[in-house]
């Protein structure tokens, strides 16, 4: 996973922090004691460090620094971003469980109480999000088996501290310092997929799978608008969330759209030049996209191409209606992947769509209309039997030439159904 924020100028501050760790040979614990950085070069003793630059409400730059986990047995040090779980709550937790676990003789009893203690400990994590809300750590993972150390990494600590103080993050960089069989001393790393990515998705409100100075590629969740709507209750969208992270991004930064009910890959531009170039690529049909969908019933045809015209139904928006005179023609290539049986014993067909044009509701209409496949997408509340838990349509792949470098790039997002 790439860092969710630009790396500069935090990279410069991180390099300076590396210099201090190398030359001073110690990290101050307090006015009377220090921790020797030589201990970080003992077997497996290395540690991740991070730096985040941010702005306060007055526009002043604020610099935050953090270390992952604990340093020399200490969870918190002066002038470093604090641990997400405050010391008072942690001390109460330790008094409640630590000694009791050690007193138990049987392994089974120890395991039972340890599991209870772990669940209690994870409940103490209340993470600050970019929108001002608080997020329980347990809500970030789909499984109760939360990876050990989740919530203790530099990126999480830095963003939690920034959001808790009402700061606007500008850039972030993390590096490894010391000895490890899996990481290189002084090398820079992005947040890890296993522990950090699920938490960052919740804290930032977006799953950013790629980012550079020109574009970001977002794996949009179903139910989130691509762009803001006209009413106040429809302001929340990928665009508004991106602009919280990247204030200099164009006001209309989405280079294309996905329906609110559709999940998957969406490309946003972080500057006007990239925005213009991406629009040109879409106009020239130089962007390849593939979707996965589940259709209601059994599709008997193995593959083919659909070309149909639709226009907006002005009496029943946002519906589209078939119109050979005034409609916009759209083309979709489809391929049947397999027929499946659902948990409630219904037959559905998994298909792959490759749209050659980008008309409104194109895939939903080409699936449901009798002149198309005649089988609505499962969960389609506009053209099918109605919303279930979601619309079963996912933009799984997008391929295009990078708007600045021209390098051909391909991105994929695993289908969630």
């Amino acid at each position: 996973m790439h860092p969710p924020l630009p790396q500069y100028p935090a990279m410069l501050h991180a390099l300076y922090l590396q210099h201090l760790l190398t030359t001073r040979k110690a990290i101050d614990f307090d006015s009377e004691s220090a921790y020797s950085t030589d201990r970080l070069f003992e077997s497996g003793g290395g540690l991740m460090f991070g730096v985040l630059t941010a702005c306060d409400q007055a526009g002043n730059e604020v610099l935050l620094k953090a270390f992952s986990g604990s340093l020399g047995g200490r969870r918190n040090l002066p002038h470093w971003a604090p641990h997400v779980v405050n010391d008072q709550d942690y001390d109460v937790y330790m008094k409640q469980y630590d000694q009791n676990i050690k007193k138990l003789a049987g392994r089974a009893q120890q395991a039972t109480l340890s599991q209870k203690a772990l669940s209690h400990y994870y409940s103490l994590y209340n993470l600050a999000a970019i929108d001002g809300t608080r997020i329980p750590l347990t809500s970030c993972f789909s499984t109760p088996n939360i990876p050990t150390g989740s919530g203790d990494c530099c990126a999480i600590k830095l963003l939690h501290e920034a959001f808790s103080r009402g700061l606007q993050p500008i850039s972030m960089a993390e590096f490894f310092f010391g000895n490890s069989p899996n990481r290189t001393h002084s090398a820079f790393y992005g947040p890890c997929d296993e522990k950090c990515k699920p938490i960052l998705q919740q804290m930032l409100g977006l799953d950013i799978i790629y980012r550079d100075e020109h574009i970001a590629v977002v794996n949009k969740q179903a139910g989130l608008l691509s762009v803001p709507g006209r009413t106040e209750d429809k302001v929340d969208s990928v665009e508004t969330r991106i602009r919280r992270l990247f204030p200099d991004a164009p006001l209309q930064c989405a280079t294309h759209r996905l329906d609110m009910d559709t999940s998957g890959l969406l490309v946003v531009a972080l500057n006007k030049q990239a925005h213009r170039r991406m629009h040109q690529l879409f106009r020239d049909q130089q962007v390849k996209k593939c979707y996965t969908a589940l259709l209601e019933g059994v599709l008997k045809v193995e593959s083919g191409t659909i070309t149909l015209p639709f226009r907006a139904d002005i009496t029943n928006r946002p519906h589209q209606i078939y119109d050979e005179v005034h409609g916009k023609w759209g083309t979709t290539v489809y391929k049947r992947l397999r027929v499946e049986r659902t948990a409630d014993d219904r037959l559905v067909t998994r298909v792959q769509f490759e749209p050659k044009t980008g008309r409104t509701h194109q895939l939903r209409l080409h699936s449901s209309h009798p002149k198309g496949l005649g089988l609505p997408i499962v969960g389609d509340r506009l053209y099918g039997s109605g919303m279930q838990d979601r619309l079963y349509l996912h933009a799984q792949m997008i391929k295009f030439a990078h708007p600045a470098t021209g390098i051909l790039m391909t991105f994929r997002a695993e289908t969630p159904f």
Side-chain angles (χ1 to χ4, degrees):
M1 177 183 179
H2 291 256
L5 302 166
Q7 289 184 310
Y8 298 96
M11 184 73 79
L12 300 179
H13 290 290
L15 290 170
Y16 182 62
L17 178 57
Q18 283 187 8
H19 171 72
L20 293 179
L21 294 173
T22 301
T23 56
R24 289 189 177 180
K25 295 286 187 179
I27 299 173
D28 291 337
F29 274 4
D30 48 48
S31 59
E32 298 179 353
S33 62
Y35 179 84
S36 171
T37 56
D38 288 340
R39 296 176 63 180
L40 296 174
F41 291 90
E42 297 174 358
S43 179
L47 202 63
M48 287 292 296
F49 291 85
V51 171
L52 182 144
T53 58
C55 284
D56 63 17
Q57 295 180 356
N60 302 309
E61 183 181 84
V62 179
L63 179 64
L64 303 176
K65 59 182 180 180
F67 51 83
S68 290
S70 61
L71 181 63
R74 300 204 184 188
R75 301 165 65 251
N76 291 307
L77 292 177
H79 313 301
W80 295 77
H83 196 281
V84 174
V85 178
N86 65 58
D87 283 339
Q88 183 177 357
D89 289 341
Y90 182 75
D91 289 342
V92 170
Y93 157 78
M94 290 297 290
K95 289 177 182 178
Q96 182 176 351
Y97 289 102
D98 188 52
Q99 291 302 319
N100 289 331
I101 292 174
K102 292 177 180 178
K103 290 177 183 178
L104 293 175
R107 289 186 179 180
Q109 290 179 314
Q110 286 184 334
T112 300
L113 188 57
S114 294
Q115 186 59 48
K116 183 179 179 181
L118 191 60
S119 297
H120 183 183
Y121 181 62
Y122 286 144
S123 73
L124 300 178
Y125 286 77
N126 197 20
L127 299 154
I130 193 170
D131 60 0
T133 60
R134 293 278 175 161
I135 303 167
L137 180 66
T138 51
S139 70
C140 300
F141 296 88
S142 58
T143 171
N145 299 319
I146 298 174
T148 302
S150 297
D152 297 346
C153 298
C154 295
I156 308 303
K157 284 185 178 182
L158 291 168
L159 290 171
H160 173 77
E161 177 68 1
F163 296 151
S164 297
R165 293 167 54 179
L167 304 175
Q168 169 66 56
I170 301 300
S171 60
M172 182 170 64
E174 296 178 273
F175 64 89
F176 185 81
F177 194 91
N179 180 33
S180 170
N182 302 316
R183 296 199 170 184
T184 303
H185 172 62
S186 293
F188 286 83
Y189 293 89
C192 65
D193 286 345
E194 181 186 21
K195 293 186 288 186
C196 294
K197 183 177 180 179
I199 301 174
L200 290 173
Q201 286 180 219
Q202 297 291 325
M203 294 179 74
L204 302 177
L206 290 171
D207 180 8
I208 301 175
I209 68 167
Y210 176 82
R211 186 270 310 147
D212 59 32
E213 61 183 305
H214 303 285
I215 61 170
V217 181
V218 175
N219 183 17
K220 185 184 85 68
Q221 62 261 46
L224 178 65
L225 290 166
S226 295
V227 301
R230 296 182 179 180
T231 56
E232 190 171 329
D233 62 327
K234 293 183 178 179
V235 171
D236 187 27
S237 66
V238 171
E239 281 195 345
T240 52
R241 294 185 184 189
I242 279 289
R243 284 181 54 77
R244 285 198 201 114
L245 288 171
F246 308 99
D248 294 330
L251 184 61
Q252 297 176 323
C253 54
T255 64
H256 59 116
R257 298 186 184 187
L258 295 176
D259 293 344
M260 181 177 73
D261 296 337
T262 303
S263 62
L265 297 173
L266 184 71
V267 182
V268 295
L270 302 182
N271 56 58
K272 293 181 179 179
Q273 294 82 1
H275 193 265
R276 285 195 297 268
R277 178 57 182 156
M278 285 303 303
H279 271 294
Q280 183 180 343
L281 291 173
F282 276 103
R283 284 195 303 268
D284 295 342
Q285 298 184 0
Q286 296 298 305
V287 180
K288 181 178 180 179
K289 296 185 291 181
C290 286
Y291 292 71
T292 299
L294 291 183
L295 305 185
E296 297 180 6
V298 177
L299 178 64
K300 297 181 179 179
V301 183
E302 184 174 338
S303 61
T305 300
I306 304 166
T307 301
L308 295 173
F310 291 90
R311 65 167 174 83
D313 184 352
I314 59 175
T315 64
N316 188 25
R317 294 181 183 275
H319 286 75
Q320 302 280 312
I321 57 175
Y322 184 86
D323 188 336
E324 292 188 4
V325 177
H326 303 290
K328 292 183 178 180
W329 292 81
T331 300
T332 302
V333 176
Y334 68 92
K335 179 181 179 181
R336 184 184 66 198
L337 299 177
R338 61 180 177 271
V339 175
E340 304 174 8
R341 191 176 296 275
T342 64
D344 56 355
D345 206 35
R346 292 180 296 116
L347 288 176
V348 296
T349 304
R350 185 175 294 267
V351 297
Q352 178 179 290
F353 287 127
E354 183 182 337
K356 298 299 184 179
T357 52
R359 308 304 183 199
T360 301
H361 298 170
Q362 178 173 315
L363 300 182
R364 299 165 74 171
L365 289 161
H366 285 185
S367 299
S368 61
H369 199 274
K371 290 183 178 291
L373 300 180
L375 299 175
I377 297 174
V378 176
D380 194 335
R381 54 182 170 176
L382 295 180
Y383 310 106
S385 58
M387 178 69 75
Q388 299 177 22
D389 53 331
R390 60 160 293 157
L391 174 70
Y392 282 73
L393 178 63
H394 178 73
Q396 65 160 0
M397 190 278 288
I398 190 165
K399 184 177 183 180
F400 57 92
H402 190 281
T405 66
I407 296 173
L408 193 62
M409 309 187 78
T410 302
F411 299 99
R412 291 182 172 83
E414 182 178 354
T415 302
F417 52 82

